[in-house]
Amino acid sequence: AASPFAILRMSKHKVAVIVHGGAWGIPDQDVPSNLGGVRLAAEAAYNMLAKGEAAIDVAEKVTRLLEDDPTFDAGTGSYTTRTGEVELDALIGSDDANFGAVAAVQNIKNPISLARAVRDRTPHILYVGQGANDLAREVGIQECNPEDLLVERERIRYEKLKQGASPDQLDEFAPIKDESAHDTVGCVCLDQQGRIAIAQSTGGTRFKPRGRVGDTPQWGSGAYCERGVGGAAATGHGEYLARVLASRQAVDFLRSGMSAEDACKFTVQMVGNVGGAGGLIAINLDRHTGEPHVGYAFNTPRMAYAYRVEGHDLFVGIDHRNSVSHNKRPLTCGGSTAPLPNPFQLSSWALAMRKSPTHGIMGQVAEMRKQGIHVYDFGVGEMSPEIPLPSPVKDGMIQAIQDNKAFYSPAAGSPVLIEALIDDFSRNFNLQYDPSEIAILPGPKDAFFKACIAVLHPYPTGNRRRVLTFAPIFECFDNIPILLTGLPPVVLQTDENFLPKLDEFEEVLRTDDTIRLVIVNSPNNPSGAVYSDLIIQGISRIVSQYPDVLVLYDEVYRTIVYEQPASTHFRNLIPQQTICIGGMSKELAATGLRVGYVTGPSAIVATVAAIQAMSSSCTSLPTQLGYAKFLNEDKDMNWRKDIVNQLKVRRDKLISIFNSSESLKTCMPISAPAGAFYLFVNVSKLFGKSTSNGVIVNDVDVAEFFLKEARVAVIPGSLFRTAGYVRICYSRSLEEIENGIGAMERAVAGLC
């Protein structure tokens, strides 16, 4: 059976390249030279990639070609500053976030090679001005005569400037005219190993002030790439491209499932929304097939570009084709993405959703077992049947069915269950609710979905419509925002203990007025991290400053805490800004019974209930009554404490095996999770190891290695937006844990 991670692991990738020569008002007389320049560069790059050269090497070589072409504003042919000097910027990087850049450097014919030296030969990422020239001498890159970089075209323009022409008439902020120049060269390359590299080089805007630096040398603004996702490079108004982190934004769109074409289009629209103009090129890997696709978009009068994908012909363009109007400017986009068969015109937002990694693993394991292959399944977050469903739930459901209670409940849920929850919240969690502040739904995922429908806006009503959350994240947090708003969530990375960095969170809310919903998941799936009182108080303090921002607190694993749980709750700190979701799925080993809840301000809960009435009508009444009977019989939480104790035995067994194994302890260091029933293991020390499948380069390779060599199913951390880890679910039998981790240990011992 095909691996669920096939998109990220191919023995030999098809190669692809896209280059640009700048997005601006290219005059008619310069069209042939611009087209010829990008054609030559794309052809050369493709031929090198097809021969097996590495993307990073090709990116440098093709950018040198463009720098040496006097047609373009990069290297030879660059624009001058207002004082007649040439100051150059460049950046080159790869999809492992290893990059180097130079800015405001003078007398260097190929600044892209100096940026490569920063990347490869220093521990730093950016050298500026004279310091960059000093580095050039240290690494043996010769300086050139300043006159060598000036072409006749720019000499004439500079002479006119000296004779009294105002530089402001040709300033980068002037209205776009045919003669306005905002030129850069760049490329995105994909090699046979599936590695992506980007490169950008520019002389900046014409007659810029000395020391002015735009987006080009800024990672995330001028260019950005991410392994297994794609890469993008921007050109145009550097100040405006940097304001929206254009290249990073495009890759975020790619990660959300957008095509390269749409990612470029929507990013250029964002640039236009803040008053800028420019273009974008991108390459992505189709998540379903692993095929590479390219895309481009621009809202300037012209942009020179060329691309080729293996199996397809070279394509070269410069003018608008089938453009649409956006902010009074024509916007053109295109690319190599083959349209998927879509006879029913399915929602592009729905098609952009990622497939569930857990369900993908379930299918893979089922298929292998069907073939008679034994698999140790540590992939899916499931307790049953290893930990049995508490008998009060069974008794309550059976009694309800025998009493013919199979009719509709109110859309908001059975009053019997709501009252049981109110008592349980108050007795065991110090939370006070009114019945109007609780709604019962068919499972926690459904509760999350309908709560998001209630508070997120598909199109801007004011600025706030985006979701923010903290890595690592559960799959729904990635997909549901896309389905409802078309926008991926803002995902903030956490510290080494998977806890939020409050200063970074505070800064994002201060500077980004698009955030509507902050998702907090503690205990966390997949890391097992439990947020402390200080963190909950800190998030509450920050959010309280923004009345239009809400917290959605996912407390599905609320009872599965091995140490002292937090005594603070968002409900008690910012009640009018807090929505909570939970249910009995994880608490009671009842994932298939599908009962969840939403709590929060009554207006929000009433909206959720109205959505329920128009969709699923209500939650299964026998299941609701089974949950109510359980809560009424488990007032001291003894049933739930027993489940936690059973999980703790398994957690401690797993940790003991890891700590007693030299190979596991060395190559896969762990720390004990404080909650939930997952171990999130750092596997980065396995990167670079050779296996029968090739060299391990990421956590997806690690997961496939374990599945193939040890018959152990785990889930890569990159699918939870935290690369370099794998998730191990330990709600299994002690025998399964011992044998499965033993198989994993033997596989690792062969590598380390």
Side-chain angles (χ1 to χ4, degrees):
S3 165
F5 313 120
I7 174 179
L8 297 178
R9 184 70 169 92
M10 301 174 66
S11 58
K12 182 179 178 182
H13 281 265
K14 290 184 177 180
V15 300
V17 61
I18 183 167
V19 304
H20 73 78
W24 60 292
I26 301 170
D28 291 346
Q29 66 269 23
D30 291 340
V31 166
S33 60
N34 275 263
L35 288 173
V38 294
R39 176 190 293 275
L40 177 65
E43 286 178 336
Y46 179 82
N47 290 335
M48 288 185 279
L49 291 166
K51 291 176 181 177
E53 290 196 38
I56 190 70
D57 295 330
V58 175
E60 179 187 2
K61 291 176 182 177
V62 73
T63 305
R64 285 178 63 100
L65 278 178
L66 293 166
E67 289 174 336
D68 291 342
D69 188 331
T71 300
F72 302 110
D73 171 30
T76 303
S78 292
Y79 302 146
T80 69
T81 66
R82 295 182 182 186
T83 52
E85 297 140 326
V86 174
E87 293 185 342
L88 306 169
D89 309 328
L91 178 147
I92 186 168
S94 48
D95 58 11
D96 56 357
N98 187 12
F99 69 95
V102 293
V105 63
Q106 296 184 11
N107 308 334
I108 299 296
K109 189 171 186 293
N110 295 111
I112 195 66
S113 293
L114 183 53
R116 179 76 185 271
V118 174
R119 175 189 183 271
D120 293 351
R121 302 175 68 174
T122 82
H124 309 297
I125 59 173
L126 174 64
Y127 277 68
V128 177
Q130 188 57 50
N133 287 95
D134 292 343
L135 176 66
R137 287 188 287 272
E138 289 176 19
V139 300
I141 295 177
Q142 291 188 346
E143 295 183 342
C144 66
N145 189 311
E147 292 293 313
D148 294 343
L149 301 176
L150 279 176
V151 296
E152 189 63 20
R153 175 191 69 227
E154 298 308 317
R155 285 195 183 93
I156 293 172
R157 286 187 175 124
Y158 180 62
E159 287 302 319
K160 289 182 178 179
L161 179 72
K162 289 197 299 184
Q163 292 169 14
S166 171
D168 293 329
Q169 294 173 352
L170 299 174
D171 193 352
E172 60 267 33
F173 302 110
I176 293 178
K177 301 176 182 177
D178 282 349
E179 70 272 15
S180 299
H182 307 281
D183 213 352
T184 309
V185 299
C187 66
V188 186
C189 302
L190 171 70
D191 65 22
Q192 292 178 352
Q193 302 303 313
R195 295 169 300 200
I196 299 167
I198 49 84
Q200 291 271 83
S201 184
T202 186
T205 54
R206 184 173 292 148
F207 303 137
K208 65 185 179 182
R210 288 184 67 189
R212 178 267 182 191
V213 175
D215 66 297
T216 295
Q218 298 185 51
W219 182 253
S221 296
Y224 183 80
C225 55
E226 191 171 305
R227 182 163 295 172
V229 179
T235 174
H237 279 122
E239 283 70 12
Y240 295 96
L241 294 165
R243 282 185 173 95
V244 300
L245 292 174
S247 296
R248 173 59 188 263
Q249 181 61 66
V251 174
D252 282 346
F253 283 142
L254 294 177
R255 191 189 307 104
S256 77
M258 280 190 190
S259 68
E261 178 178 337
D262 281 346
C264 291
K265 178 179 75 173
F266 286 124
T267 303
V268 171
Q269 285 180 346
M270 292 176 68
V271 175
N273 288 341
V274 296
L280 211 77
I281 59 173
I283 289 178
N284 78 306
L285 293 171
D286 187 292
R287 65 179 54 198
H288 302 295
T289 65
E291 292 285 313
H293 296 296
V294 304
Y296 63 88
F298 59 98
N299 66 353
T300 50
R302 283 171 168 152
M303 181 177 81
Y305 61 91
Y307 63 81
R308 185 172 179 186
V309 176
E310 187 172 339
H312 301 271
D313 294 333
L314 179 74
F315 189 92
V316 183
I318 196 167
D319 283 309
H320 285 284
R321 300 182 306 115
N322 303 318
S323 65
V324 297
S325 178
H326 181 257
N327 285 348
K328 299 182 180 179
R329 293 195 182 104
L331 189 152
T332 285
C333 62
S336 67
T337 307
L340 295 173
N342 190 12
F344 300 107
Q345 295 300 300
L346 301 176
S347 162
S348 61
W349 290 358
L351 292 175
M353 292 195 303
R354 287 174 175 243
K355 290 185 176 180
S356 164
T358 50
H359 284 271
I361 282 289
M362 285 172 64
Q364 177 74 357
V365 170
E367 181 63 27
M368 293 176 71
R369 286 174 172 169
K370 189 176 178 181
Q371 297 173 16
I373 302 170
H374 179 76
V375 180
Y376 300 103
D377 182 9
F378 300 118
V380 180
E382 176 74 87
M383 289 189 281
S384 180
E386 173 57 33
I387 296 176
L389 180 69
S391 58
V393 180
K394 304 174 189 176
D395 295 341
M397 292 179 66
I398 292 169
Q399 188 63 52
I401 292 170
Q402 290 176 340
D403 292 343
N404 293 314
K405 292 183 178 179
F407 42 80
Y408 290 122
S409 79
S414 164
V416 175
L417 177 53
I418 290 175
E419 287 300 326
L421 278 168
I422 288 173
D423 179 68
D424 189 60
F425 282 132
S426 176
R427 180 188 303 273
N428 295 309
F429 301 96
N430 190 32
L431 300 172
Q432 310 306 316
Y433 287 103
D434 183 83
S436 65
E437 296 176 309
I438 300 176
I440 310 301
L441 298 105
K445 279 187 181 179
D446 192 75
F448 174 73
F449 182 40
K450 288 170 181 168
C452 287
I453 294 175
V455 300
L456 293 178
H457 307 289
Y459 298 100
T461 55
N463 287 329
R464 298 198 182 278
R465 60 189 292 232
R466 294 197 73 176
V467 168
L468 178 148
T469 189
F470 304 98
I473 68 172
F474 182 54
E475 59 198 46
C476 287
F477 305 164
D478 229 346
N479 280 323
I480 298 305
I482 295 169
L483 183 61
L484 297 181
T485 70
L487 297 172
V490 175
V491 180
L492 299 184
Q493 295 303 311
T494 46
D495 66 17
E496 65 277 6
N497 298 311
F498 307 110
L499 300 175
K501 304 171 185 176
L502 293 181
D503 55 347
E504 181 178 333
F505 172 56
E506 186 166 22
E507 178 66 12
V508 171
L509 278 197
R510 187 184 69 80
T511 58
D512 188 345
D513 63 357
T514 69
I515 304 302
R516 166 64 169 162
L517 190 64
V518 177
I519 299 174
V520 178
N521 172 214
S522 174
N524 178 262
N525 173 14
S527 71
V530 176
Y531 291 6
S532 67
D533 288 328
L534 286 176
I535 289 176
I536 293 172
Q537 291 164 359
I539 293 173
S540 298
R541 174 187 60 79
I542 294 164
V543 171
S544 69
Q545 301 172 47
Y546 305 92
D548 294 335
V549 177
L550 302 172
V551 168
L552 192 151
Y553 188 23
D554 177 353
E555 53 181 8
V556 168
Y557 296 88
R558 62 176 182 166
T559 60
I560 306 175
V561 178
Y562 304 112
E563 312 301 335
Q564 183 66 31
S567 59
T568 305
H569 197 284
F570 290 104
R571 165 74 180 184
N572 293 331
L573 297 173
I574 46 172
Q576 292 305 303
Q577 291 176 266
T578 299
I579 305 167
C580 298
I581 62 168
M584 69 178 191
S585 298
K586 307 299 182 178
E587 287 187 18
L588 309 184
T591 52
L593 293 183
R594 312 316 300 153
V595 174
Y597 60 74
V598 170
T599 70
S602 57
I604 293 175
V605 171
T607 303
V608 171
I611 294 167
Q612 168 112 312
M614 291 295 105
S615 53
S616 44
S617 295
C618 66
T619 304
S620 162
L621 183 56
T623 313
Q624 291 189 69
L625 296 176
Y627 190 19
K629 181 174 177 61
F630 171 83
L631 292 174
N632 288 328
E633 293 191 16
D634 194 41
K635 292 182 182 294
D636 56 6
M637 293 187 67
N638 283 338
W639 280 97
R640 284 171 280 186
K641 291 174 183 176
D642 180 63
I643 289 174
V644 174
N645 288 335
Q646 293 183 63
L647 290 170
K648 187 175 186 298
V649 169
R650 288 158 173 78
R651 182 198 71 158
D652 294 347
K653 176 71 171 178
L654 182 64
I655 292 170
S656 173
I657 295 173
F658 265 81
N659 288 338
S660 62
S661 165
E662 197 60 39
S663 58
L664 291 179
K665 187 165 55 176
T666 301
C667 296
M668 297 172 60
I670 63 167
S671 58
F677 43 81
Y678 308 107
L679 188 65
F680 207 46
V681 186
N682 188 328
V683 294
S684 60
K685 291 187 177 181
L686 296 178
F687 296 175
K689 305 293 185 182
S690 296
T691 74
S692 58
N693 250 20
V695 176
I696 292 176
V697 297
N698 54 34
D699 54 84
V700 175
D701 293 345
V702 173
E704 288 201 327
F705 167 72
F706 285 138
L707 193 60
K708 180 179 179 181
E709 301 297 332
R711 298 293 184 253
V712 171
V714 297
I715 298 182
S718 57
L719 298 179
F720 299 103
R721 294 287 203 101
T722 304
Y725 290 79
V726 297
R727 189 190 81 171
I728 298 174
C729 175
Y730 54 80
S731 56
R732 305 295 189 259
S733 71
L734 294 174
E735 181 183 9
E736 184 91 347
I737 291 171
E738 186 164 358
N739 292 337
I741 303 304
M744 182 183 289
E745 178 188 15
R746 290 188 292 275
V748 170
L751 296 180
C752 296

